[in-house]
Amino acid sequence: MTDGPIRVVVADDQTVVREGIVMLLGLLPGITVVGSAPDGEEALRLVAEHAPDVVLMDLRMPRCDGVEATRRIRAGHPGTEVVVLTTYADDDSLFSALQAGARGFLTKDAGAEEIARAVADVRSGAAGLSPQVQLRLLERLSGPAPAAPGPGIGPKAAQRPALPDGLTQREAEVLALIAAGLSNAEIAERLFVSPATVKTHINNLFAKTAVRDRAQAVAYAFRHGISDGS
């Protein structure tokens, strides 16, 4: 992380909304807007030109939508993080954005403090998810259990279905607690292990699942139905 103000590009196809966000960010200490874009293609050009710390990204835009722009930014400019700021909080939008590499997801009714916190969080390496989005993730992760296994599978196998990508049961527990929004210290306390042990489990499960950060880990947990059943 670099010192100085957080350098931000704003991407939104609605002029009034885009200019309003730029004006709002201009009033927040520690944030400098270095460019604004009406579509994903222009956002990509501005990222290449200015190398901002964070892009505030709308999803529904012409030429190149927010999900594709996020994917291309994260692939070509890994030093730039993306926070989605959108009207749409449906599951498809949320998980598509997280899978593309977004580390934050806010809806446009977020206040100035919430936006500033998300921008600061992703710049520092954390996930910037609004409370509403975290609740949505938890609701989906704690949804209906998978269908019962077919005949010939013993009781123990029925209780513990095979985990994807070679995850151990403890790694799956840690992943579920990440998806529930717990910090490393909170996970350590919940599982009665040291924070160093939790960090080892996280490093292992990140390597096995090929996720880059906690936001992608949440999306992975949702896709595979791994949730905290306690």
Side-chain angles (χ1 to χ4, degrees):
M1 185 182 74
T2 58
D3 295 327
I6 304 172
R7 303 170 70 253
V8 177
V9 163
V10 176
D12 196 295
D13 65 326
Q14 293 182 300
T15 302
V16 172
V17 173
R18 185 174 67 254
E19 291 179 350
I21 295 171
V22 169
M23 185 178 299
L24 173 65
L25 293 176
L27 298 174
L28 299 177
I31 294 178
T32 298
V33 178
V34 296
S36 64
D39 56 57
E41 289 290 350
E42 179 65 8
L44 285 159
R45 189 190 69 77
L46 290 173
V47 167
E49 179 179 347
H50 296 288
D53 299 301
V54 179
V55 177
L56 273 178
M57 182 78 74
D58 189 22
L59 289 182
R60 307 292 197 268
M61 295 186 294
R63 292 210 296 165
C64 175
D65 67 24
V67 171
E68 179 60 23
T70 296
R71 185 176 294 110
R72 289 164 62 182
I73 287 169
R74 295 300 298 144
H77 307 276
T80 297
E81 303 292 354
V82 176
V83 174
V84 169
L85 185 61
T86 181
T87 304
Y88 305 93
D90 60 281
D91 292 343
D92 287 345
S93 297
L94 170 57
F95 287 100
S96 294
L98 293 179
Q99 289 163 11
R103 296 192 65 158
F105 194 105
L106 301 173
T107 54
K108 287 182 180 176
D109 57 359
E113 289 185 6
E114 195 173 346
I115 294 173
R117 184 168 56 249
V119 167
D121 283 347
V122 300
R123 190 213 202 187
S124 67
L129 302 175
S130 71
Q132 296 90 340
V133 167
Q134 291 187 40
L135 178 60
R136 190 68 175 162
L137 291 171
L138 290 174
E139 287 174 347
R140 290 300 300 266
L141 286 167
S142 59
I153 299 178
K156 289 187 178 179
Q159 292 172 4
R160 291 194 174 187
L163 293 166
D165 294 318
L167 291 176
T168 66
Q169 193 66 36
R170 180 45 63 100
E171 288 164 357
E173 289 178 301
V174 171
L175 177 57
L177 294 172
I178 290 173
L182 274 64
S183 66
N184 286 11
E186 291 168 332
I187 293 172
E189 183 177 351
R190 175 77 69 89
L191 298 180
F192 303 102
V193 297
S194 71
T197 298
V198 171
K199 187 173 181 180
T200 297
H201 287 314
I202 290 174
N203 288 340
N204 290 340
L205 73 89
F206 273 32
K208 289 179 179 180
T209 60
V211 301
R212 293 192 298 265
D213 51 52
R214 293 174 93 94
Q216 287 194 355
V218 171
Y220 179 95
F222 163 73
R223 290 200 309 275
H224 293 281
I226 299 172
S227 62
D228 179 17
S230 60

